[in-house]
Amino acid sequence: MPFGFLRDDGSDRLDRIEATLQRMFADDRHAFDLAMSTLLGGAAPHSVGAELRATDHHVNEAEREIRRELVVHASVHGGIDTPAILIYMSIVKDVERIGDYAKNLFDLAADGARLDRASDAEALTEMQFEVSRLISEAGDVFAARDAERARDVLMRGDRLLDDCDHRVSELVKGEDQGPTAVARALAYRYLKRIVAHLMNVLSAVVVPIDRLDYFDEDPEDRT
């Protein structure tokens, strides 16, 4: 069955886990917005690099904090909450990876890529805003365990994955001969991976544990 909540042990541990996870989503969005500001917004990488790295460090620390809390929780309840603990362990890695891909996007700008004048700058900007919104929305949907909204976000995510794949294929095949082809292809690939990790998180709301993580597969491969 889809993911529920961990068993309450009378402490505030569950509240801390949920609050820390939401903080990770907020930090991920901030890191992502900082990275994209250097690629599309004209911000100088040196002006935001330290803040982005510090934000990603907070995400990494939060992941470790949640894992420590889960280990303590498991010692209290034994096997009772094993499925829920496994799911938390899985999704917290997905949330952490979003920060890593934000750094990858930043690295493109640090290496000199500027995509605000690319032929597809408008499409990239629209995707930037959509992905940024999805990061926050995924956190809200997960916190509420809202299956209906999760399915809506997953459908939107699939459209973004398809768009990224299509644009990367055009660049790889040489059908798009515009400048900064390598940087643009990498940017679309990193954006795709961020969306895929968000979809993995929301898969916990709508599918059984044995199908967790399937939403970063292509739709035809989700069997």
Side-chain angles (χ1 to χ4, degrees):
M1 64 180 179
F3 182 38
F5 289 87
L6 289 170
R7 183 183 179 89
D8 191 354
D9 60 4
S11 72
D12 60 354
R13 182 171 298 110
L14 303 187
D15 290 338
R16 290 199 300 270
I17 290 172
E18 290 288 334
T20 303
L21 190 60
Q22 291 303 312
R23 191 170 72 244
M24 290 178 71
F25 279 111
D27 283 339
D28 276 341
R29 184 175 188 179
H30 184 52
F32 174 77
D33 289 343
L34 286 172
M36 296 306 290
S37 74
T38 63
L39 276 176
L40 290 167
H46 67 80
S47 69
V48 302
E51 184 177 356
L52 189 151
R53 286 188 292 272
T55 303
D56 183 62
H57 179 72
H58 294 157
V59 172
N60 295 338
E61 284 292 324
E63 179 191 21
R64 290 190 285 270
E65 179 183 332
I66 289 176
R67 288 183 167 179
R68 286 192 296 267
E69 294 281 9
L70 289 171
V71 169
V72 174
H73 187 84
S75 70
V76 173
H77 291 291
I80 295 174
D81 277 354
T82 298
I85 290 171
L86 289 174
I87 290 171
Y88 267 111
M89 288 288 193
S90 175
I91 64 172
V92 75
K93 172 51 68 175
D94 283 304
V95 181
E96 185 272 336
R97 289 293 290 156
I98 293 168
D100 291 340
Y101 282 109
K103 287 191 301 183
N104 290 155
L105 288 163
F106 171 80
D107 287 342
L108 293 178
D111 286 339
R114 294 295 183 272
L115 304 184
D116 52 318
R117 296 184 180 178
S119 58
D120 52 355
E122 183 176 350
L124 277 164
T125 300
E126 290 178 2
M127 190 173 293
Q128 168 194 349
F129 291 136
E130 176 67 3
V131 172
S132 182
R133 285 192 298 268
L134 281 181
I135 296 172
S136 289
E137 192 169 355
D140 293 341
V141 171
F142 181 82
R145 308 298 195 268
D146 189 331
E148 182 176 353
R149 286 184 65 196
R151 292 187 182 93
D152 175 67
V153 174
L154 289 168
M155 289 178 60
R156 288 156 54 198
D158 267 337
R159 289 194 290 270
L160 283 169
L161 298 187
D162 287 343
D163 191 11
C164 288
D165 281 340
H166 174 71
R167 292 180 182 278
V168 170
S169 292
E170 286 186 330
L171 289 161
V172 170
K173 294 175 182 177
E175 296 171 5
D176 183 334
Q177 296 289 335
T180 64
V182 172
R184 288 158 59 209
L186 287 170
Y188 283 121
R189 183 62 67 188
Y190 297 150
L191 288 166
K192 175 185 175 179
R193 295 311 305 159
I194 289 173
V195 174
H197 282 295
L198 291 172
M199 294 174 74
N200 275 343
V201 171
L202 294 183
S203 71
V205 181
V206 297
V207 301
I209 185 173
D210 62 302
R211 295 188 62 203
L212 196 66
D213 288 352
Y214 274 44
F215 278 81
D216 66 350
E217 302 281 353
D218 290 331
E220 61 269 23
D221 296 326
R222 296 175 195 159
T223 57

PDB file of all heavy atoms in Angstrom, residues 67-102:
ATOM      1  N   ARG A  67      18.571  10.364   8.988  1.00  0.00           N
ATOM      2  CA  ARG A  67      18.977   8.963   9.089  1.00  0.00           C
ATOM      3  C   ARG A  67      19.278   8.576  10.533  1.00  0.00           C
ATOM      4  O   ARG A  67      18.956   7.467  10.967  1.00  0.00           O
ATOM      5  CB  ARG A  67      20.166   8.704   8.169  1.00  0.00           C
ATOM      6  CG  ARG A  67      19.769   8.707   6.701  1.00  0.00           C
ATOM      7  CD  ARG A  67      20.923   8.385   5.799  1.00  0.00           C
ATOM      8  NE  ARG A  67      20.426   8.107   4.447  1.00  0.00           N
ATOM      9  CZ  ARG A  67      21.202   7.813   3.412  1.00  0.00           C
ATOM     10  NH1 ARG A  67      22.504   7.730   3.578  1.00  0.00           N
ATOM     11  NH2 ARG A  67      20.678   7.579   2.235  1.00  0.00           N
ATOM     12  N   ARG A  68      19.915   9.475  11.270  1.00  0.00           N
ATOM     13  CA  ARG A  68      20.168   9.182  12.681  1.00  0.00           C
ATOM     14  C   ARG A  68      18.853   9.012  13.441  1.00  0.00           C
ATOM     15  O   ARG A  68      18.710   8.097  14.265  1.00  0.00           O
ATOM     16  CB  ARG A  68      21.008  10.301  13.310  1.00  0.00           C
ATOM     17  CG  ARG A  68      22.470  10.288  12.885  1.00  0.00           C
ATOM     18  CD  ARG A  68      23.301  11.213  13.764  1.00  0.00           C
ATOM     19  NE  ARG A  68      22.899  12.615  13.627  1.00  0.00           N
ATOM     20  CZ  ARG A  68      23.458  13.457  12.774  1.00  0.00           C
ATOM     21  NH1 ARG A  68      24.416  13.055  11.943  1.00  0.00           N
ATOM     22  NH2 ARG A  68      23.060  14.717  12.727  1.00  0.00           N
ATOM     23  N   GLU A  69      17.895   9.886  13.175  1.00  0.00           N
ATOM     24  CA  GLU A  69      16.598   9.794  13.839  1.00  0.00           C
ATOM     25  C   GLU A  69      15.892   8.482  13.479  1.00  0.00           C
ATOM     26  O   GLU A  69      15.253   7.848  14.334  1.00  0.00           O
ATOM     27  CB  GLU A  69      15.714  10.985  13.451  1.00  0.00           C
ATOM     28  CG  GLU A  69      16.199  12.341  13.929  1.00  0.00           C
ATOM     29  CD  GLU A  69      15.880  12.594  15.396  1.00  0.00           C
ATOM     30  OE1 GLU A  69      15.439  11.650  16.090  1.00  0.00           O
ATOM     31  OE2 GLU A  69      16.066  13.733  15.841  1.00  0.00           O
ATOM     32  N   LEU A  70      16.017   8.063  12.247  1.00  0.00           N
ATOM     33  CA  LEU A  70      15.371   6.822  11.821  1.00  0.00           C
ATOM     34  C   LEU A  70      16.006   5.609  12.488  1.00  0.00           C
ATOM     35  O   LEU A  70      15.306   4.650  12.842  1.00  0.00           O
ATOM     36  CB  LEU A  70      15.448   6.689  10.298  1.00  0.00           C
ATOM     37  CG  LEU A  70      14.572   7.657   9.505  1.00  0.00           C
ATOM     38  CD1 LEU A  70      14.910   7.573   8.023  1.00  0.00           C
ATOM     39  CD2 LEU A  70      13.083   7.378   9.722  1.00  0.00           C
ATOM     40  N   VAL A  71      17.327   5.646  12.664  1.00  0.00           N
ATOM     41  CA  VAL A  71      17.992   4.529  13.343  1.00  0.00           C
ATOM     42  C   VAL A  71      17.503   4.419  14.784  1.00  0.00           C
ATOM     43  O   VAL A  71      17.212   3.325  15.284  1.00  0.00           O
ATOM     44  CB  VAL A  71      19.523   4.717  13.292  1.00  0.00           C
ATOM     45  CG1 VAL A  71      20.213   3.721  14.226  1.00  0.00           C
ATOM     46  CG2 VAL A  71      20.028   4.536  11.865  1.00  0.00           C
ATOM     47  N   VAL A  72      17.383   5.560  15.446  1.00  0.00           N
ATOM     48  CA  VAL A  72      16.865   5.540  16.821  1.00  0.00           C
ATOM     49  C   VAL A  72      15.430   5.043  16.833  1.00  0.00           C
ATOM     50  O   VAL A  72      15.041   4.230  17.677  1.00  0.00           O
ATOM     51  CB  VAL A  72      16.967   6.944  17.451  1.00  0.00           C
ATOM     52  CG1 VAL A  72      16.286   6.965  18.819  1.00  0.00           C
ATOM     53  CG2 VAL A  72      18.419   7.373  17.576  1.00  0.00           C
ATOM     54  N   HIS A  73      14.627   5.521  15.880  1.00  0.00           N
ATOM     55  CA  HIS A  73      13.227   5.092  15.805  1.00  0.00           C
ATOM     56  C   HIS A  73      13.142   3.585  15.588  1.00  0.00           C
ATOM     57  O   HIS A  73      12.315   2.903  16.206  1.00  0.00           O
ATOM     58  CB  HIS A  73      12.524   5.834  14.671  1.00  0.00           C
ATOM     59  CG  HIS A  73      11.047   5.583  14.614  1.00  0.00           C
ATOM     60  ND1 HIS A  73      10.152   6.280  15.386  1.00  0.00           N
ATOM     61  CD2 HIS A  73      10.319   4.698  13.892  1.00  0.00           C
ATOM     62  CE1 HIS A  73       8.924   5.837  15.139  1.00  0.00           C
ATOM     63  NE2 HIS A  73       8.999   4.883  14.234  1.00  0.00           N
ATOM     64  N   ALA A  74      13.986   3.053  14.724  1.00  0.00           N
ATOM     65  CA  ALA A  74      13.972   1.613  14.457  1.00  0.00           C
ATOM     66  C   ALA A  74      14.328   0.820  15.706  1.00  0.00           C
ATOM     67  O   ALA A  74      13.780  -0.264  15.947  1.00  0.00           O
ATOM     68  CB  ALA A  74      14.945   1.281  13.326  1.00  0.00           C
ATOM     69  N   SER A  75      15.231   1.355  16.522  1.00  0.00           N
ATOM     70  CA  SER A  75      15.619   0.639  17.740  1.00  0.00           C
ATOM     71  C   SER A  75      14.480   0.602  18.747  1.00  0.00           C
ATOM     72  O   SER A  75      14.402  -0.308  19.575  1.00  0.00           O
ATOM     73  CB  SER A  75      16.850   1.308  18.365  1.00  0.00           C
ATOM     74  OG  SER A  75      16.522   2.574  18.917  1.00  0.00           O
ATOM     75  N   VAL A  76      13.568   1.586  18.659  1.00  0.00           N
ATOM     76  CA  VAL A  76      12.422   1.626  19.574  1.00  0.00           C
ATOM     77  C   VAL A  76      11.341   0.663  19.125  1.00  0.00           C
ATOM     78  O   VAL A  76      10.770  -0.081  19.930  1.00  0.00           O
ATOM     79  CB  VAL A  76      11.861   3.058  19.672  1.00  0.00           C
ATOM     80  CG1 VAL A  76      10.564   3.077  20.480  1.00  0.00           C
ATOM     81  CG2 VAL A  76      12.896   3.999  20.288  1.00  0.00           C
ATOM     82  N   HIS A  77      11.055   0.631  17.829  1.00  0.00           N
ATOM     83  CA  HIS A  77       9.920  -0.131  17.314  1.00  0.00           C
ATOM     84  C   HIS A  77      10.299  -1.446  16.649  1.00  0.00           C
ATOM     85  O   HIS A  77       9.424  -2.238  16.305  1.00  0.00           O
ATOM     86  CB  HIS A  77       9.113   0.719  16.327  1.00  0.00           C
ATOM     87  CG  HIS A  77       8.383   1.840  16.994  1.00  0.00           C
ATOM     88  ND1 HIS A  77       7.320   1.639  17.839  1.00  0.00           N
ATOM     89  CD2 HIS A  77       8.585   3.178  16.943  1.00  0.00           C
ATOM     90  CE1 HIS A  77       6.889   2.814  18.286  1.00  0.00           C
ATOM     91  NE2 HIS A  77       7.638   3.760  17.756  1.00  0.00           N
ATOM     92  N   GLY A  78      11.565  -1.693  16.445  1.00  0.00           N
ATOM     93  CA  GLY A  78      11.958  -2.936  15.806  1.00  0.00           C
ATOM     94  C   GLY A  78      11.403  -3.019  14.395  1.00  0.00           C
ATOM     95  O   GLY A  78      11.511  -2.087  13.606  1.00  0.00           O
ATOM     96  N   GLY A  79      10.799  -4.157  14.060  1.00  0.00           N
ATOM     97  CA  GLY A  79      10.326  -4.388  12.702  1.00  0.00           C
ATOM     98  C   GLY A  79       8.989  -3.771  12.379  1.00  0.00           C
ATOM     99  O   GLY A  79       8.537  -3.820  11.241  1.00  0.00           O
ATOM    100  N   ILE A  80       8.345  -3.168  13.368  1.00  0.00           N
ATOM    101  CA  ILE A  80       6.990  -2.657  13.148  1.00  0.00           C
ATOM    102  C   ILE A  80       6.960  -1.631  12.026  1.00  0.00           C
ATOM    103  O   ILE A  80       6.070  -1.627  11.179  1.00  0.00           O
ATOM    104  CB  ILE A  80       6.426  -2.043  14.448  1.00  0.00           C
ATOM    105  CG1 ILE A  80       6.253  -3.134  15.507  1.00  0.00           C
ATOM    106  CG2 ILE A  80       5.105  -1.347  14.181  1.00  0.00           C
ATOM    107  CD1 ILE A  80       5.844  -2.601  16.863  1.00  0.00           C
ATOM    108  N   ASP A  81       7.939  -0.739  12.009  1.00  0.00           N
ATOM    109  CA  ASP A  81       7.933   0.370  11.052  1.00  0.00           C
ATOM    110  C   ASP A  81       8.943   0.191   9.927  1.00  0.00           C
ATOM    111  O   ASP A  81       9.293   1.150   9.249  1.00  0.00           O
ATOM    112  CB  ASP A  81       8.236   1.685  11.773  1.00  0.00           C
ATOM    113  CG  ASP A  81       7.000   2.278  12.420  1.00  0.00           C
ATOM    114  OD1 ASP A  81       5.907   1.735  12.209  1.00  0.00           O
ATOM    115  OD2 ASP A  81       7.138   3.285  13.136  1.00  0.00           O
ATOM    116  N   THR A  82       9.408  -1.029   9.703  1.00  0.00           N
ATOM    117  CA  THR A  82      10.448  -1.235   8.701  1.00  0.00           C
ATOM    118  C   THR A  82      10.076  -0.693   7.326  1.00  0.00           C
ATOM    119  O   THR A  82      10.888   0.000   6.691  1.00  0.00           O
ATOM    120  CB  THR A  82      10.819  -2.726   8.600  1.00  0.00           C
ATOM    121  OG1 THR A  82      11.343  -3.156   9.855  1.00  0.00           O
ATOM    122  CG2 THR A  82      11.851  -2.960   7.507  1.00  0.00           C
ATOM    123  N   PRO A  83       8.879  -0.953   6.772  1.00  0.00           N
ATOM    124  CA  PRO A  83       8.564  -0.399   5.441  1.00  0.00           C
ATOM    125  C   PRO A  83       8.641   1.124   5.405  1.00  0.00           C
ATOM    126  O   PRO A  83       9.222   1.696   4.476  1.00  0.00           O
ATOM    127  CB  PRO A  83       7.141  -0.897   5.191  1.00  0.00           C
ATOM    128  CG  PRO A  83       7.019  -2.123   6.027  1.00  0.00           C
ATOM    129  CD  PRO A  83       7.803  -1.828   7.265  1.00  0.00           C
ATOM    130  N   ALA A  84       8.075   1.781   6.410  1.00  0.00           N
ATOM    131  CA  ALA A  84       8.108   3.239   6.419  1.00  0.00           C
ATOM    132  C   ALA A  84       9.531   3.761   6.547  1.00  0.00           C
ATOM    133  O   ALA A  84       9.916   4.745   5.901  1.00  0.00           O
ATOM    134  CB  ALA A  84       7.249   3.781   7.558  1.00  0.00           C
ATOM    135  N   ILE A  85      10.340   3.115   7.372  1.00  0.00           N
ATOM    136  CA  ILE A  85      11.731   3.540   7.533  1.00  0.00           C
ATOM    137  C   ILE A  85      12.497   3.379   6.231  1.00  0.00           C
ATOM    138  O   ILE A  85      13.270   4.259   5.828  1.00  0.00           O
ATOM    139  CB  ILE A  85      12.401   2.742   8.677  1.00  0.00           C
ATOM    140  CG1 ILE A  85      11.814   3.178  10.024  1.00  0.00           C
ATOM    141  CG2 ILE A  85      13.920   2.957   8.670  1.00  0.00           C
ATOM    142  CD1 ILE A  85      12.231   2.311  11.190  1.00  0.00           C
ATOM    143  N   LEU A  86      12.283   2.263   5.536  1.00  0.00           N
ATOM    144  CA  LEU A  86      12.945   2.056   4.252  1.00  0.00           C
ATOM    145  C   LEU A  86      12.563   3.140   3.253  1.00  0.00           C
ATOM    146  O   LEU A  86      13.403   3.620   2.472  1.00  0.00           O
ATOM    147  CB  LEU A  86      12.594   0.675   3.696  1.00  0.00           C
ATOM    148  CG  LEU A  86      13.206  -0.523   4.429  1.00  0.00           C
ATOM    149  CD1 LEU A  86      12.637  -1.821   3.854  1.00  0.00           C
ATOM    150  CD2 LEU A  86      14.724  -0.510   4.329  1.00  0.00           C
ATOM    151  N   ILE A  87      11.301   3.527   3.264  1.00  0.00           N
ATOM    152  CA  ILE A  87      10.849   4.559   2.333  1.00  0.00           C
ATOM    153  C   ILE A  87      11.504   5.891   2.663  1.00  0.00           C
ATOM    154  O   ILE A  87      11.995   6.599   1.775  1.00  0.00           O
ATOM    155  CB  ILE A  87       9.314   4.675   2.354  1.00  0.00           C
ATOM    156  CG1 ILE A  87       8.693   3.426   1.724  1.00  0.00           C
ATOM    157  CG2 ILE A  87       8.848   5.919   1.616  1.00  0.00           C
ATOM    158  CD1 ILE A  87       7.203   3.327   1.872  1.00  0.00           C
ATOM    159  N   TYR A  88      11.525   6.259   3.938  1.00  0.00           N
ATOM    160  CA  TYR A  88      12.195   7.497   4.320  1.00  0.00           C
ATOM    161  C   TYR A  88      13.667   7.473   3.905  1.00  0.00           C
ATOM    162  O   TYR A  88      14.197   8.468   3.387  1.00  0.00           O
ATOM    163  CB  TYR A  88      12.107   7.700   5.832  1.00  0.00           C
ATOM    164  CG  TYR A  88      10.935   8.516   6.307  1.00  0.00           C
ATOM    165  CD1 TYR A  88       9.911   7.931   7.027  1.00  0.00           C
ATOM    166  CD2 TYR A  88      10.868   9.881   6.059  1.00  0.00           C
ATOM    167  CE1 TYR A  88       8.838   8.680   7.487  1.00  0.00           C
ATOM    168  CE2 TYR A  88       9.802  10.643   6.512  1.00  0.00           C
ATOM    169  CZ  TYR A  88       8.790  10.038   7.231  1.00  0.00           C
ATOM    170  OH  TYR A  88       7.731  10.779   7.681  1.00  0.00           O
ATOM    171  N   MET A  89      14.333   6.366   4.140  1.00  0.00           N
ATOM    172  CA  MET A  89      15.743   6.253   3.770  1.00  0.00           C
ATOM    173  C   MET A  89      15.935   6.466   2.270  1.00  0.00           C
ATOM    174  O   MET A  89      16.912   7.076   1.823  1.00  0.00           O
ATOM    175  CB  MET A  89      16.289   4.878   4.173  1.00  0.00           C
ATOM    176  CG  MET A  89      16.486   4.688   5.661  1.00  0.00           C
ATOM    177  SD  MET A  89      17.899   5.636   6.283  1.00  0.00           S
ATOM    178  CE  MET A  89      18.099   4.886   7.919  1.00  0.00           C
ATOM    179  N   SER A  90      14.994   5.969   1.484  1.00  0.00           N
ATOM    180  CA  SER A  90      15.078   6.100   0.031  1.00  0.00           C
ATOM    181  C   SER A  90      14.818   7.532  -0.414  1.00  0.00           C
ATOM    182  O   SER A  90      15.607   8.105  -1.177  1.00  0.00           O
ATOM    183  CB  SER A  90      14.087   5.151  -0.639  1.00  0.00           C
ATOM    184  OG  SER A  90      14.080   5.342  -2.041  1.00  0.00           O
ATOM    185  N   ILE A  91      13.729   8.113   0.072  1.00  0.00           N
ATOM    186  CA  ILE A  91      13.352   9.428  -0.448  1.00  0.00           C
ATOM    187  C   ILE A  91      14.281  10.527   0.037  1.00  0.00           C
ATOM    188  O   ILE A  91      14.489  11.525  -0.663  1.00  0.00           O
ATOM    189  CB  ILE A  91      11.890   9.773  -0.119  1.00  0.00           C
ATOM    190  CG1 ILE A  91      11.688   9.894   1.393  1.00  0.00           C
ATOM    191  CG2 ILE A  91      10.930   8.778  -0.735  1.00  0.00           C
ATOM    192  CD1 ILE A  91      10.310  10.413   1.756  1.00  0.00           C
ATOM    193  N   VAL A  92      14.866  10.353   1.227  1.00  0.00           N
ATOM    194  CA  VAL A  92      15.756  11.401   1.714  1.00  0.00           C
ATOM    195  C   VAL A  92      16.992  11.485   0.818  1.00  0.00           C
ATOM    196  O   VAL A  92      17.567  12.567   0.617  1.00  0.00           O
ATOM    197  CB  VAL A  92      16.129  11.161   3.195  1.00  0.00           C
ATOM    198  CG1 VAL A  92      17.150  10.040   3.353  1.00  0.00           C
ATOM    199  CG2 VAL A  92      16.653  12.441   3.833  1.00  0.00           C
ATOM    200  N   LYS A  93      17.401  10.366   0.222  1.00  0.00           N
ATOM    201  CA  LYS A  93      18.498  10.405  -0.750  1.00  0.00           C
ATOM    202  C   LYS A  93      18.066  11.127  -2.019  1.00  0.00           C
ATOM    203  O   LYS A  93      18.850  11.899  -2.599  1.00  0.00           O
ATOM    204  CB  LYS A  93      18.965   8.976  -1.073  1.00  0.00           C
ATOM    205  CG  LYS A  93      19.982   8.875  -2.207  1.00  0.00           C
ATOM    206  CD  LYS A  93      21.165   9.809  -2.040  1.00  0.00           C
ATOM    207  CE  LYS A  93      22.053   9.429  -0.872  1.00  0.00           C
ATOM    208  NZ  LYS A  93      23.269  10.300  -0.799  1.00  0.00           N
ATOM    209  N   ASP A  94      16.828  10.912  -2.457  1.00  0.00           N
ATOM    210  CA  ASP A  94      16.333  11.649  -3.625  1.00  0.00           C
ATOM    211  C   ASP A  94      16.354  13.152  -3.366  1.00  0.00           C
ATOM    212  O   ASP A  94      16.763  13.934  -4.230  1.00  0.00           O
ATOM    213  CB  ASP A  94      14.909  11.205  -3.970  1.00  0.00           C
ATOM    214  CG  ASP A  94      14.864   9.873  -4.683  1.00  0.00           C
ATOM    215  OD1 ASP A  94      15.519   9.732  -5.724  1.00  0.00           O
ATOM    216  OD2 ASP A  94      14.158   8.961  -4.202  1.00  0.00           O
ATOM    217  N   VAL A  95      15.906  13.559  -2.192  1.00  0.00           N
ATOM    218  CA  VAL A  95      15.867  14.989  -1.873  1.00  0.00           C
ATOM    219  C   VAL A  95      17.286  15.553  -1.810  1.00  0.00           C
ATOM    220  O   VAL A  95      17.545  16.666  -2.277  1.00  0.00           O
ATOM    221  CB  VAL A  95      15.118  15.232  -0.547  1.00  0.00           C
ATOM    222  CG1 VAL A  95      15.062  16.721  -0.231  1.00  0.00           C
ATOM    223  CG2 VAL A  95      13.698  14.675  -0.618  1.00  0.00           C
ATOM    224  N   GLU A  96      18.214  14.778  -1.262  1.00  0.00           N
ATOM    225  CA  GLU A  96      19.601  15.227  -1.193  1.00  0.00           C
ATOM    226  C   GLU A  96      20.210  15.379  -2.581  1.00  0.00           C
ATOM    227  O   GLU A  96      20.985  16.318  -2.833  1.00  0.00           O
ATOM    228  CB  GLU A  96      20.410  14.220  -0.366  1.00  0.00           C
ATOM    229  CG  GLU A  96      21.862  14.635  -0.112  1.00  0.00           C
ATOM    230  CD  GLU A  96      22.816  14.186  -1.213  1.00  0.00           C
ATOM    231  OE1 GLU A  96      22.498  13.198  -1.912  1.00  0.00           O
ATOM    232  OE2 GLU A  96      23.870  14.828  -1.390  1.00  0.00           O
ATOM    233  N   ARG A  97      19.860  14.497  -3.504  1.00  0.00           N
ATOM    234  CA  ARG A  97      20.447  14.539  -4.843  1.00  0.00           C
ATOM    235  C   ARG A  97      20.044  15.790  -5.616  1.00  0.00           C
ATOM    236  O   ARG A  97      20.779  16.239  -6.509  1.00  0.00           O
ATOM    237  CB  ARG A  97      20.030  13.288  -5.631  1.00  0.00           C
ATOM    238  CG  ARG A  97      20.677  12.005  -5.139  1.00  0.00           C
ATOM    239  CD  ARG A  97      22.179  12.015  -5.386  1.00  0.00           C
ATOM    240  NE  ARG A  97      22.481  11.910  -6.810  1.00  0.00           N
ATOM    241  CZ  ARG A  97      23.601  12.334  -7.382  1.00  0.00           C
ATOM    242  NH1 ARG A  97      24.519  12.944  -6.660  1.00  0.00           N
ATOM    243  NH2 ARG A  97      23.797  12.174  -8.668  1.00  0.00           N
ATOM    244  N   ILE A  98      18.910  16.366  -5.284  1.00  0.00           N
ATOM    245  CA  ILE A  98      18.483  17.591  -5.966  1.00  0.00           C
ATOM    246  C   ILE A  98      19.517  18.697  -5.759  1.00  0.00           C
ATOM    247  O   ILE A  98      19.861  19.437  -6.688  1.00  0.00           O
ATOM    248  CB  ILE A  98      17.097  18.020  -5.467  1.00  0.00           C
ATOM    249  CG1 ILE A  98      16.045  16.996  -5.906  1.00  0.00           C
ATOM    250  CG2 ILE A  98      16.729  19.416  -5.988  1.00  0.00           C
ATOM    251  CD1 ILE A  98      14.697  17.162  -5.231  1.00  0.00           C
ATOM    252  N   GLY A  99      20.035  18.797  -4.542  1.00  0.00           N
ATOM    253  CA  GLY A  99      21.080  19.785  -4.285  1.00  0.00           C
ATOM    254  C   GLY A  99      22.332  19.520  -5.085  1.00  0.00           C
ATOM    255  O   GLY A  99      23.011  20.457  -5.543  1.00  0.00           O
ATOM    256  N   ASP A 100      22.663  18.247  -5.272  1.00  0.00           N
ATOM    257  CA  ASP A 100      23.844  17.906  -6.076  1.00  0.00           C
ATOM    258  C   ASP A 100      23.678  18.370  -7.518  1.00  0.00           C
ATOM    259  O   ASP A 100      24.629  18.881  -8.136  1.00  0.00           O
ATOM    260  CB  ASP A 100      24.087  16.399  -6.042  1.00  0.00           C
ATOM    261  CG  ASP A 100      24.537  15.909  -4.672  1.00  0.00           C
ATOM    262  OD1 ASP A 100      25.026  16.737  -3.885  1.00  0.00           O
ATOM    263  OD2 ASP A 100      24.383  14.706  -4.398  1.00  0.00           O
ATOM    264  N   TYR A 101      22.489  18.181  -8.078  1.00  0.00           N
ATOM    265  CA  TYR A 101      22.275  18.609  -9.459  1.00  0.00           C
ATOM    266  C   TYR A 101      22.209  20.126  -9.573  1.00  0.00           C
ATOM    267  O   TYR A 101      22.570  20.688 -10.623  1.00  0.00           O
ATOM    268  CB  TYR A 101      21.019  17.954 -10.033  1.00  0.00           C
ATOM    269  CG  TYR A 101      21.277  16.525 -10.441  1.00  0.00           C
ATOM    270  CD1 TYR A 101      20.746  15.461  -9.723  1.00  0.00           C
ATOM    271  CD2 TYR A 101      22.097  16.229 -11.523  1.00  0.00           C
ATOM    272  CE1 TYR A 101      21.002  14.141 -10.077  1.00  0.00           C
ATOM    273  CE2 TYR A 101      22.373  14.910 -11.882  1.00  0.00           C
ATOM    274  CZ  TYR A 101      21.826  13.882 -11.155  1.00  0.00           C
ATOM    275  OH  TYR A 101      22.102  12.577 -11.502  1.00  0.00           O
ATOM    276  N   ALA A 102      21.777  20.789  -8.511  1.00  0.00           N
ATOM    277  CA  ALA A 102      21.855  22.254  -8.509  1.00  0.00           C
ATOM    278  C   ALA A 102      23.316  22.693  -8.619  1.00  0.00           C
ATOM    279  O   ALA A 102      23.650  23.630  -9.362  1.00  0.00           O
ATOM    280  CB  ALA A 102      21.212  22.822  -7.248  1.00  0.00           C
TER     281      ALA A 102
END
